[in-house]
Amino acid sequence: MNILLKTTVSIGVLCLTAGAAFADCGIEGTGSVRILSNDFEALRLINTTAQECAADGITVTANATAEHKNLQVPALSINPAEYSVAVVANNSIVPLMNDDLIRPLDDLVAEYGADLQPNQLIKIDGKTMAIAFMGNAQHLFYRKDILDQAGIAEPKSYEDILAAAEKIKADGLMEYPLAASDKPGWDLAAEFVNTYLGTGGEFFAPGSAELAIDNENGMKTLETMRALTQYMDPDYLTFDANGIQAEYKAGNVAMMVQWGSLAGDMLDGEGAAEGVVENTVLAAAPVINGGTTPAVALWWDGFTIAKNISDEDAAASFQAMVHGINPEMVAANPTVATWLVKGYEPGPNAVGVIATANAGARAYPMQPYMGLLHTALSAELAEYMAGSEDAAQALADVKAAYDTAAKEGGYL
């Protein structure tokens, strides 16, 4: 996969092999490992595994929080940085790169990464800047029993989903058969980005930071997003990914486009109503408007090491994180994520992500100004989704907010 970020970024498959050196983490000397990450099961598991490296002279702490994107830049800007490790994805590495807050990892790979293969590494400008450990994408989760009762085949497009929701509601099978992560902020913006990617459209004019979503693709994206809400709980603007997961597990939802990283939690079935788990099918993300590209973004998750820390802390942090993603941990937890680790055998939880990738889903854009667009979408779509503004006005509001930020950032 090649992704653009001012320069070429390459990602290969993460390959790790078990080694005796990791039995006690093998960290010599002293060091402080301070991990900042998002908060979901796979990352909590990696953090806990890395914490096994705590020993005399080595401390390991972790902060798994949904606010990580808001915390990372200020926390890594101070010297010494508050955190020595920032766990990132396609989008969240960009502000850290733009502000020169993370260090190249080539020396650490050479010294402590003997079990890492060259094609595992995220390289930017020829330097290794992150180590990827899992792939992720949103994809379709659906209740086969409910669709069967309504006489509906597996939905392949958003148009299919809307038709299926209408039939399920009309047949009295469910009042609110759909759910989506429409909470204003990062989640709602991601829903727009996902759907827009499915139109085949580009977010920016070629070779430019000029916004290019105020068009038929942008209108179709917004119209589809709002059409879906007529089949959702009236409080749809309060639901994020964890919220729709709970609604689906409670048996209240028949179809949702949800993160693959939460498929393991779904299939484990803890807290799920009777009949939900055994009737859940994980399928490729839907297409839109007659297109062939899944209407979601492909993601990788990986770790970076802060620049404003001592070399001792950097070395300890790198070793602890390599231990955190070791093959034994992955082998013991195969359903928690679509791991990018050698020896990983994709299980039932991974079929949706793999089907979506194989169908040609596009990577989340990594232009340095994409974060400004995501922020503008985060702030400017709520009124439209609530029904108090039309699509044309919403796109105009997004453009105004983006243009202001892009000019301040020196991109326009």
Side-chain angles (χ1 to χ4, degrees):
M1 184 191 306
N2 282 328
I3 308 165
L4 193 69
L5 167 74
K6 293 184 183 174
T7 50
T8 301
V9 180
S10 60
I11 169 175
V13 173
L14 185 68
C15 307
L16 290 173
T17 52
F22 295 143
D24 61 355
C25 300
I27 302 178
E28 297 177 358
T30 60
S32 168
V33 181
R34 309 178 299 281
I35 304 165
L36 175 66
S37 76
N38 198 354
D39 184 23
F40 56 85
E41 186 181 7
L43 300 189
R44 290 192 294 268
L45 182 61
I46 291 168
N47 294 348
T48 300
T49 307
Q51 286 173 309
E52 294 171 0
C53 294
D56 286 345
I58 304 292
T59 59
V60 186
T61 58
N63 180 15
T65 169
E67 292 298 311
H68 68 109
K69 289 190 187 73
N70 298 327
L71 297 176
Q72 63 175 12
V73 169
L76 269 63
S77 295
I78 57 177
N79 197 349
E82 185 175 353
Y83 300 99
S84 63
V85 177
V87 177
V88 297
N90 311 40
N91 66 325
S92 53
I93 193 175
V94 174
L96 297 178
M97 287 292 303
N98 288 348
D99 288 0
D100 195 25
L101 297 177
I102 52 177
R103 63 175 63 201
L105 302 178
D106 300 282
D107 290 349
L108 293 168
V109 170
E111 190 162 357
Y112 305 111
D115 294 322
L116 297 169
Q117 307 296 324
N119 65 344
Q120 304 160 226
L121 314 173
I122 304 294
K123 289 185 177 287
I124 299 172
D125 269 345
K127 297 175 182 175
T128 304
M129 300 305 297
I131 308 292
F133 49 75
M134 62 179 277
N136 204 0
Q138 288 163 274
H139 62 80
L140 183 63
F141 291 48
Y142 72 87
R143 287 279 300 276
K144 190 176 187 305
D145 56 334
I146 301 296
L147 268 63
D148 284 350
Q149 288 178 59
I152 297 166
E154 177 175 294
K156 303 292 187 185
S157 68
Y158 268 115
E159 291 74 20
D160 291 348
I161 288 173
L162 285 165
E166 175 60 35
K167 182 74 161 57
I168 290 167
K169 189 169 184 173
D171 288 357
L173 296 170
M174 276 186 180
E175 189 174 8
Y176 306 122
L178 301 184
S181 300
D182 282 342
K183 186 175 182 177
W186 195 91
D187 293 87
L188 181 56
E191 292 295 303
F192 180 93
V193 171
N194 282 340
T195 312
Y196 190 87
L197 284 168
T199 69
E202 297 296 335
F203 292 91
F204 307 100
S208 162
E210 185 183 341
L211 197 58
I213 62 171
D214 193 356
N215 52 36
E216 286 182 17
N217 290 327
M219 293 292 285
K220 182 65 179 178
T221 295
L222 287 179
E223 288 165 6
T224 301
M225 288 172 65
R226 196 152 80 186
L228 295 166
T229 65
Q230 63 188 309
Y231 303 105
M232 296 179 189
D233 184 295
D235 292 328
Y236 57 87
L237 286 175
T238 66
F239 289 100
D240 59 8
N242 291 327
I244 66 172
Q245 185 88 341
E247 281 293 288
Y248 186 100
K249 287 172 89 170
N252 299 331
V253 172
M255 295 170 282
M256 65 176 179
V257 174
Q258 173 67 300
W259 288 100
S261 51
L262 292 175
D265 170 70
M266 182 67 69
L267 298 182
D268 287 347
E270 186 175 341
E274 188 176 348
V276 170
V277 176
E278 55 268 40
N279 287 297
T280 291
V281 176
L282 307 179
V287 298
I288 183 174
N289 201 29
T292 58
T293 303
V296 292
L298 277 182
W299 298 81
W300 54 263
D301 290 81
F303 70 84
T304 62
I305 303 294
K307 188 171 189 176
N308 294 334
I309 58 173
S310 69
D311 290 345
E312 291 77 15
D313 286 359
S317 296
F318 186 87
Q319 292 173 83
M321 291 305 292
V322 169
H323 176 75
I325 58 176
N326 75 76
E328 288 90 346
M329 182 281 288
V330 167
N333 298 278
T335 65
V336 170
T338 303
W339 298 109
L340 303 177
V341 176
K342 188 178 181 182
Y344 166 65
E345 295 288 339
N349 62 296
V351 297
V353 172
I354 292 168
T356 298
N358 289 344
R362 299 160 68 188
Y364 183 94
M366 281 181 65
Q367 288 100 332
Y369 31 84
M370 184 64 196
L372 303 180
L373 173 56
H374 204 109
T375 299
L377 293 165
S378 297
E380 302 298 337
L381 294 182
E383 290 182 352
Y384 169 77
M385 290 299 289
S388 60
E389 184 176 84
D390 66 24
Q393 185 61 50
L395 289 174
D397 290 348
V398 170
K399 178 171 168 49
Y402 169 80
D403 284 354
T404 298
K407 284 170 185 169
E408 289 174 357
Y411 295 114
L412 283 178

